[in-house]
Amino acid sequence: MQQPSRSVAKAQSRLRSAKDRRGGCFFHIMTYALLASTTLFWAYFWAYQVYFTSITILPVTVISSESSIIGSAIPFQTDEEEEDEASSIVRRAYELTYAHMVPCDETLKGLDCWQKTIDYFQPHNRKFPLDDAPNEAGSSTTDKSNPSTTPPSIPWWWQTFLRDLKSNGAFGHWHELSTAKPPIEFCSIEKVGSSAWHDVFCNLNPKSTSVECAYDEVIGKEICHNEIHCQHQSQEQVSTTTGAHRAVFLRDPLERLLSAYIDKCHNNMEEKHCEPNVVFSPHYQRVGVVTDDIIVQPLLEDVEDNDKQMFAAYLDVMPLKWNLHVLPQALACDLYRNIDQYDFVGHMDEDFYFDLEKMAKQYGGPLPMVLNESFGYQNTLQEARASINMQI
């Protein structure tokens, strides 16, 4: 008998389960199998350092204290409860990093908000310390021993994280997709089906055309053709003030980290998203090297034939240069500040097709057809349900 496809099998398994796990799937770690080896245990450790932002994208009130900017939104156990190792990693990392974020006004978005924290932890990048403007005589009045104006010591990987936010695309416009029919603002996140979601909104929005011309040397004349351009953002005004809905899909941080590594460091190294490139790109060229007789020795030459060791090497040095594909999901669209404004939060996990179906029914219009064209969820769920009914 022909075996069902993986997606159908997963849907069948989900249909057999009487317990609805949607409410807790954001915290559910589907890849505990990674802990089977010592090497992949470090993936668990590092991924949770990326994870601690993701699990805190709950409604956050901007308050005055730097040390508790996210505060009680963190779902940690109380002192009376026994803290497991994962939660302990998250808590310790949070206390050294995000707990010291500098609050900013709600009018500041994306990098404009983060710039306050970047400046706070990198005082050499500004003329005066935080909240330390010169007085009329032109001198500073800040007490350098005052902890309120002296940045605390932070981990090296948090320093590089803040450094890279300004240039790695963390706040790129491509995260924000929209369409007018139905009116939806969608937050697209790298390694959470972002390519497929861009196709969805390209198909939902009217396409534009332009005439593109190029000289053809073979026939000796200029050839022109109509170029079709996708519109990932609606040309009409779409916002919550005009009645638009907000939607986002999230993914387990460990799965997402592993997916990013396989895609960018194993399958598509030529894209140079496996950073730092000086370590991982076999074609990396040093900046400023102009002579042809200089040979750059590959730094991982002796471990490239061992997948586990390569993954371990990636986890060890990845924070030296933060790529946008492994940044915390909470950064996209300022989710860490406004997740409470989203009326649909789906998950790219075992419930993915069910969440797609739920989203399609919730918003209607052409969305069900377009979603099915990109993800094929209707046939998958139909086959799974038919198979279950035959077994009952």
Side-chain angles (χ1 to χ4, degrees):
M1 184 175 65
Q2 184 178 6
Q3 296 295 319
S5 66
R6 179 180 298 182
S7 58
V8 172
K10 286 185 176 180
Q12 289 175 348
S13 175
R14 177 64 181 85
L15 286 168
R16 291 191 186 99
S17 175
K19 181 180 179 181
D20 188 357
R21 296 184 298 268
R22 284 198 183 98
C25 62
F26 185 58
F27 299 97
H28 174 57
I29 305 304
M30 296 175 59
T31 51
Y32 271 124
L34 292 177
L35 301 180
S37 69
T38 303
T39 298
L40 295 186
F41 175 80
W42 289 105
Y44 179 74
F45 179 81
W46 278 111
Y48 262 103
Q49 291 183 348
V50 177
Y51 186 27
F52 55 72
T53 305
S54 296
I55 66 169
T56 62
I57 52 175
L58 301 174
V60 177
T61 301
V62 177
I63 51 182
S64 59
S65 172
E66 295 172 7
S67 62
S68 57
I69 179 64
I70 297 181
S72 60
I74 308 298
F76 294 141
Q77 291 94 337
T78 62
D79 295 338
E80 292 76 17
E81 299 177 3
E82 183 177 354
E83 185 177 54
D84 59 27
E85 184 175 7
S87 296
S88 176
I89 292 172
V90 174
R91 176 182 53 78
R92 295 197 306 271
Y94 165 79
E95 290 172 350
L96 291 171
T97 56
Y98 290 89
H100 301 289
M101 285 176 60
V102 178
C104 62
D105 188 87
E106 292 182 357
T107 60
L108 295 177
K109 308 294 183 183
L111 183 59
D112 291 335
C113 178
W114 275 90
Q115 190 65 52
K116 294 173 69 68
T117 300
I118 294 172
D119 289 344
Y120 178 57
F121 282 106
Q122 298 185 35
H124 60 277
N125 285 341
R126 63 180 188 273
K127 189 174 181 180
F128 301 101
L130 189 69
D131 297 330
D132 180 29
N135 57 25
E136 294 182 358
S139 60
S140 171
T141 58
T142 296
D143 179 3
K144 300 302 180 183
S145 64
N146 185 345
S148 65
T149 57
T150 303
S153 176
I154 56 176
W156 67 268
W157 47 266
W158 178 249
Q159 296 178 49
T160 58
F161 175 82
L162 295 175
R163 176 201 66 197
D164 294 340
L165 283 181
K166 295 184 289 185
S167 59
N168 60 11
F171 308 103
H173 64 85
W174 53 83
H175 293 114
E176 299 176 356
L177 311 180
S178 63
T179 184
K181 298 178 181 180
I184 299 174
E185 289 183 305
F186 186 86
C187 181
S188 174
I189 305 173
E190 287 79 12
K191 304 313 301 175
V192 192
S194 58
S195 296
W197 285 112
H198 277 73
D199 289 341
V200 166
F201 282 82
C202 175
N203 292 328
L204 286 171
N205 291 319
K207 296 178 176 61
S208 63
T209 59
S210 64
V211 178
E212 304 289 337
C213 299
Y215 184 79
D216 191 321
E217 295 182 354
V218 176
I219 62 177
K221 66 177 183 179
E222 192 175 58
I223 301 296
C224 298
H225 66 279
N226 290 327
E227 188 76 17
I228 300 176
H229 303 281
C230 273
Q231 302 293 331
H232 300 117
Q233 294 182 334
S234 174
Q235 297 301 303
E236 302 178 38
Q237 184 177 3
V238 176
S239 67
T240 52
T241 58
T242 60
H245 303 281
R246 281 187 168 182
V248 64
F249 270 77
L250 305 174
R251 189 176 187 180
D252 175 85
L254 279 172
E255 269 199 2
R256 181 171 173 264
L257 174 66
L258 185 58
S259 174
Y261 171 77
I262 294 173
D263 181 30
K264 304 305 178 185
C265 298
H266 193 272
N267 297 337
N268 298 292
M269 183 77 77
E270 68 280 359
E271 295 181 358
K272 295 190 176 181
H273 280 298
C274 186
E275 296 186 285
N277 283 316
V278 67
V279 177
F280 295 104
S281 177
H283 305 296
Y284 178 84
Q285 295 295 324
R286 287 181 179 174
V287 176
V289 174
V290 295
T291 56
D292 296 333
D293 56 348
I294 295 180
I295 299 176
V296 179
Q297 182 72 19
L299 298 179
L300 295 174
E301 187 175 34
D302 295 331
V303 298
E304 289 177 340
D305 61 339
N306 189 314
D307 290 339
K308 284 188 176 181
Q309 293 302 318
M310 280 291 290
F311 189 35
Y314 176 73
L315 296 174
D316 283 340
V317 303
M318 173 268 290
L320 286 172
K321 186 70 172 67
W322 286 85
N323 186 272
L324 78 165
H325 294 87
V326 297
L327 289 174
Q329 298 168 76
L331 290 178
C333 313
D334 283 354
L335 287 174
Y336 72 100
R337 303 172 71 192
N338 61 22
I339 189 66
D340 59 315
Q341 299 174 15
Y342 283 71
D343 51 15
F344 184 90
V345 179
H347 299 88
M348 192 175 175
D349 60 5
E350 59 188 7
D351 288 337
F352 182 51
Y353 290 111
F354 295 93
D355 283 350
L356 287 174
E357 182 181 57
K358 180 180 177 181
M359 180 181 180
K361 290 180 177 179
Q362 182 169 328
Y363 298 136
L367 187 60
M369 179 186 68
V370 175
L371 284 179
N372 191 54
E373 289 175 354
S374 293
F375 298 104
Y377 74 95
Q378 293 177 351
N379 289 337
T380 299
L381 294 180
Q382 185 177 3
E383 291 177 23
R385 286 165 175 148
S387 177
I388 293 296
N389 290 335
M390 291 177 61
Q391 298 175 23
I392 295 178

